[in-house]
Structures are given as C-alpha cells and as structure tokens.
Amino acid sequence: MKKRENTILSAAFRLAATRPWSEVKLADIAAEADMSLADLAGVIGGKADILQLYGRQLDAKMLASLETDPVSGSAHDRVFDILMRRLELMDADKAAIRSIVTAPAASLPDYARLAGSMMQSQDWVLSAAGIEDTGLRGAMKTTGLALVYVRTLRVWANDDDAGLARTMAQLDRSLRDGADWIKRLETPMTLATALSSLARGFMRARRGPASHESGQPGSATPPPPAPDSPASETTTP
C-alpha cells in the first residue's frame, strides 16, 4: 500500500508542478500514476487525502532529522529552526506546492480535513520544540502556530532567493507577533478561569444550605463545605 501511495503522491505533484492544482483532476492523477480510476479510489478518497499523506510524510522526515540534528536555544529559536527545516524538506516540491497553496479548497469538508491535518503537524512541531501544552492554552498555541506557518508558507512558495531571506523574516516576525498575542490573552484567560471557579463555588454554596434546610427543617448547624468548594480549596496565586 505504501508503494502505491508514493506512486500517487509523485504523480499528483508532477502534475501540480505544471498546472494549477485546481485543474488537476483525479482521472489525470490516475493516468499519470499508470493506474485505473478504480485502483486510485482503492488507495485514496480524493485530492485532500494526497495532501494529508504528504503532510504526514513530511512530519516524519522532519522529526527523524531532529534525532540526529536536534535544535537548541530559546523556545522561539527552536520553533523557528524546526519550521525552517520543514520548509527545506519541501524544496524539491516547491513548484507543486506553489500551485497547491494558491488553490482554493474544493469543498468545505476538504478544507476542514486539511485544516485538521495542519493543526496536527503544528502539534508535532510544538512537541519537538518541547513547548506543547494542554487545554485552552495548548489550543491557542497550535492554532496560532498554524496561522504562522500558513503565512510563512505562502511567502516561501514565492521566495526564489537561495538564502530565503524573505521567508525567514516573515517567520521570525510572525512568531514574535504570535508570542505577544498569547501573552496579551493570558491575563484575560486567568481572570475568566477565576471568575468561572468563583461562580461555580457560589452556586454550590447556594445549593448546599437549601438542600440541608429542606431535608432537616429547623436545624441550626449548616452542612460542611463540599470538598471542591471555595471554603475548602487551597488557592494558589
């Protein structure tokens, strides 16, 4: 199966290098790969599958390269170096990628799948850089890095300078802007979390005495606080 996937991927990228990606049809890819359309359908579900396959292979190559040549420095430097390495791995496919990144998604489902694939790739970048996170902050990092990568990819696709000066400048600027954006949101996020916890505690406090009074009329002893109520929690700054 892997050999057939690679044959299809190579055929699709050869065609994309010579014409707009939107004009590359599945029948064209099958013919270029010397396969029937039925055989093609047995391996992929559409053009979006081809791009997802390419992304997964690229992620694997990028991560493998880090095993023998790890990145170092600040978080900014590590992410910068990893993303530049990812772009360098695509250099041989630049003509095809230039065609692909300027083409609109064929459909909303395709767009959603490709966006999901892009987010997964950025999760690998964050993990390789040692700065992956969870929850809302993790989602913000992944989404922000995906936007940074897309902007940089569009510049890279049209950057014919051997030193990729425009690409590196775009990536550096976008990463710094993204870091500033997350910092600006940290205080509102912390405040929102605190207010949410306070509101939940307030509602528990209101429910507790009411339940006690209805179950034991006239009792003068209030019920003990719930284990996760503000009265029993240790608050950390």
Side-chain angles (χ1 to χ4, degrees), residues 24-185:
V24 177
K25 309 303 181 186
L26 289 171
D28 300 329
I29 296 171
E32 182 71 17
D34 196 23
M35 300 170 64
S36 69
L37 202 55
D39 288 338
L40 184 72
V43 181
I44 62 166
K47 289 168 66 177
D49 280 358
I50 295 172
L51 301 184
Q52 287 182 307
L53 172 62
Y54 182 75
R56 290 196 301 272
Q57 290 187 358
L58 200 58
D59 290 338
K61 291 176 183 177
M62 175 191 71
L63 295 171
S65 75
L66 294 171
E67 294 178 3
T68 55
D69 185 18
V71 294
S72 60
S74 66
H76 172 279
D77 292 344
R78 296 195 302 274
V79 173
F80 180 93
D81 289 345
I82 292 170
L83 288 180
M84 284 304 301
R85 188 171 304 187
R86 197 175 198 275
L87 293 172
E88 289 166 3
L89 288 169
M90 294 190 292
D91 190 63
D93 303 313
K94 196 165 192 174
I97 294 169
R98 183 183 294 122
S99 169
I100 291 167
V101 299
T102 57
S107 65
L108 187 58
D110 278 355
Y111 180 83
R113 290 170 62 199
L114 294 175
S117 180
M118 176 69 69
M119 299 284 277
Q120 288 176 349
S121 291
Q122 302 320 304
D123 280 338
W124 285 118
V125 172
L126 291 169
S127 181
I131 56 173
E132 63 181 321
D133 217 325
T134 58
L136 180 58
R137 184 178 174 83
M140 287 170 54
K141 280 185 178 181
T142 302
T143 303
L145 192 57
L147 292 173
V148 166
Y149 181 72
V150 168
R151 290 171 185 161
T152 304
L153 182 64
R154 291 182 180 277
V155 173
W156 170 85
N158 294 288
D159 188 357
D160 295 324
D161 176 58
L164 297 176
R166 287 175 52 215
T167 300
M168 290 192 290
Q170 174 67 43
L171 178 56
D172 180 70
R173 181 171 60 253
S174 295
L175 284 174
R176 294 187 188 282
D177 289 346
D180 290 343
W181 177 69
I182 289 177
K183 285 180 181 177
R184 286 197 299 270
L185 287 178

